[in-house]
Coordinates of all heavy atoms in Angstrom, one line a residue:
Y4 N -0.5 8.0 -2.8 CA -0.4 8.6 -4.2 C -0.1 10.1 -4.1 O -0.9 10.9 -4.3 CB -1.7 8.3 -4.9 CG -2.0 6.9 -5.2 CD1 -2.7 6.1 -4.3 CD2 -1.4 6.3 -6.3 CE1 -2.9 4.8 -4.5 CE2 -1.6 4.9 -6.5 CZ -2.4 4.2 -5.6 OH -2.6 2.8 -5.9
S12 N -3.2 20.2 -8.3 CA -2.9 21.5 -7.9 C -3.2 21.8 -6.4 O -3.2 22.9 -5.9 CB -3.7 22.5 -8.7 OG -3.4 22.4 -10.1
L30 N -4.4 11.0 7.3 CA -5.3 10.1 8.0 C -5.7 8.9 7.0 O -6.4 9.2 6.0 CB -6.6 10.8 8.5 CG -7.6 10.0 9.3 CD1 -6.9 9.4 10.5 CD2 -8.8 10.8 9.6
P37 N -1.4 -4.0 10.1 CA -1.1 -3.5 11.5 C 0.1 -4.2 12.1 O 0.7 -3.8 13.0 CB -2.3 -3.8 12.3 CG -3.0 -4.9 11.6 CD -2.7 -4.7 10.1
Y50 N 5.1 5.1 9.3 CA 4.8 4.8 7.9 C 5.0 6.0 7.0 O 5.6 5.9 5.9 CB 3.4 4.3 7.8 CG 2.9 4.0 6.4 CD1 3.5 3.0 5.7 CD2 1.9 4.8 5.8 CE1 3.0 2.7 4.4 CE2 1.5 4.6 4.5 CZ 2.1 3.5 3.8 OH 1.7 3.3 2.5
L55 N 8.1 9.1 2.8 CA 8.6 10.4 2.3 C 10.2 10.4 2.2 O 10.7 11.4 1.9 CB 8.2 11.5 3.3 CG 6.6 11.7 3.3 CD1 6.3 12.9 4.2 CD2 6.1 12.1 1.9
L65 N 9.5 12.4 -8.4 CA 9.1 11.9 -7.1 C 10.0 12.5 -6.0 O 9.6 12.9 -4.9 CB 9.1 10.4 -7.0 CG 8.2 9.7 -7.9 CD1 8.3 8.2 -7.7 CD2 6.7 10.1 -7.5
K66 N 11.3 12.7 -6.3 CA 12.2 13.3 -5.4 C 11.9 14.7 -5.2 O 11.9 15.2 -4.0 CB 13.7 13.2 -5.9 CG 14.3 11.8 -6.0 CD 15.7 11.9 -6.5 CE 16.3 10.5 -6.6 NZ 17.7 10.6 -7.2
K71 N 9.4 19.2 -1.9 CA 8.4 20.3 -1.8 C 7.6 20.1 -0.5 O 7.3 21.0 0.3 CB 7.5 20.3 -3.0 CG 8.1 20.9 -4.2 CD 7.1 20.9 -5.4 CE 7.7 21.4 -6.7 NZ 6.7 21.4 -7.8
G88 N -15.8 -1.5 9.4 CA -16.7 -2.6 9.6 C -17.6 -3.0 8.4 O -17.8 -2.2 7.5
K89 N -18.1 -4.2 8.5 CA -18.8 -4.7 7.4 C -20.1 -3.9 7.1 O -20.5 -3.7 5.9 CB -19.2 -6.2 7.7 CG -19.9 -6.9 6.5 CD -20.1 -8.4 6.9 CE -20.8 -9.1 5.8 NZ -21.1 -10.5 6.1
A90 N -20.8 -3.5 8.2 CA -22.1 -2.8 8.0 C -21.9 -1.5 7.2 O -22.8 -1.1 6.5 CB -22.7 -2.5 9.4
D103 N -23.1 1.1 14.4 CA -23.0 0.1 13.3 C -21.5 -0.1 12.9 O -21.2 -0.9 12.0 CB -23.8 0.6 12.1 CG -25.3 0.6 12.3 OD1 -25.7 -0.2 13.1 OD2 -26.0 1.5 11.7
V116 N -8.9 11.6 18.0 CA -9.5 12.8 18.4 C -8.8 13.4 19.6 O -8.5 14.6 19.7 CB -11.0 12.7 18.6 CG1 -11.6 13.9 19.2 CG2 -11.7 12.3 17.3
N132 N -4.3 34.7 6.5 CA -3.6 35.6 7.5 C -4.4 36.0 8.7 O -4.2 37.0 9.3 CB -3.1 36.8 6.7 CG -2.0 36.5 5.8 OD1 -1.2 35.6 6.0 ND2 -1.9 37.2 4.7
S158 N -13.4 18.1 -4.8 CA -12.1 18.4 -5.4 C -11.5 19.5 -4.6 O -12.1 20.2 -3.9 CB -12.3 18.9 -6.9 OG -13.0 20.2 -6.8
Q160 N -10.4 22.3 -5.6 CA -11.0 23.6 -5.9 C -12.3 23.8 -5.2 O -12.6 24.9 -4.8 CB -11.2 23.6 -7.5 CG -11.7 25.0 -8.0 CD -10.7 26.1 -7.7 OE1 -9.5 25.9 -7.6 NE2 -11.2 27.3 -7.5
H195 N -25.2 65.7 23.3 CA -26.5 65.8 22.5 C -26.2 65.6 21.0 O -25.2 66.1 20.5 CB -27.1 67.2 22.7 CG -28.2 67.5 21.7 ND1 -29.4 66.8 21.8 CD2 -28.3 68.3 20.6 CE1 -30.2 67.3 20.9 NE2 -29.6 68.2 20.2
E228 N -16.8 40.8 -4.9 CA -16.7 42.0 -4.1 C -18.1 42.8 -4.1 O -18.5 43.2 -3.0 CB -15.7 42.9 -4.7 CG -15.5 44.2 -4.0 CD -14.3 45.1 -4.5 OE1 -13.3 44.5 -4.8 OE2 -14.4 46.3 -4.5
L250 N -33.3 57.1 18.0 CA -33.0 58.5 18.0 C -34.3 59.4 17.8 O -34.4 60.4 18.5 CB -32.0 58.8 16.9 CG -31.3 60.2 17.0 CD1 -30.6 60.4 18.4 CD2 -30.3 60.4 15.9
A268 N -42.2 76.6 33.7 CA -41.6 78.0 34.0 C -42.7 79.1 33.8 O -42.7 80.0 34.6 CB -40.5 78.2 33.0
L280 N -48.7 90.9 43.3 CA -49.9 91.8 43.3 C -50.6 91.7 44.6 O -51.0 92.7 45.2 CB -50.8 91.3 42.2 CG -50.4 91.6 40.7 CD1 -51.4 91.0 39.7 CD2 -50.3 93.2 40.5

Side-chain angles (χ1 to χ4, degrees):
Y4 293 94
S12 303
L30 182 61
Y50 176 68
L55 295 180
L65 297 178
K66 291 181 181 179
K71 287 180 180 179
K89 185 178 179 181
D103 293 330
V116 171
N132 290 328
S158 67
Q160 184 62 27
H195 171 67
E228 182 173 320
L250 192 59
L280 288 174

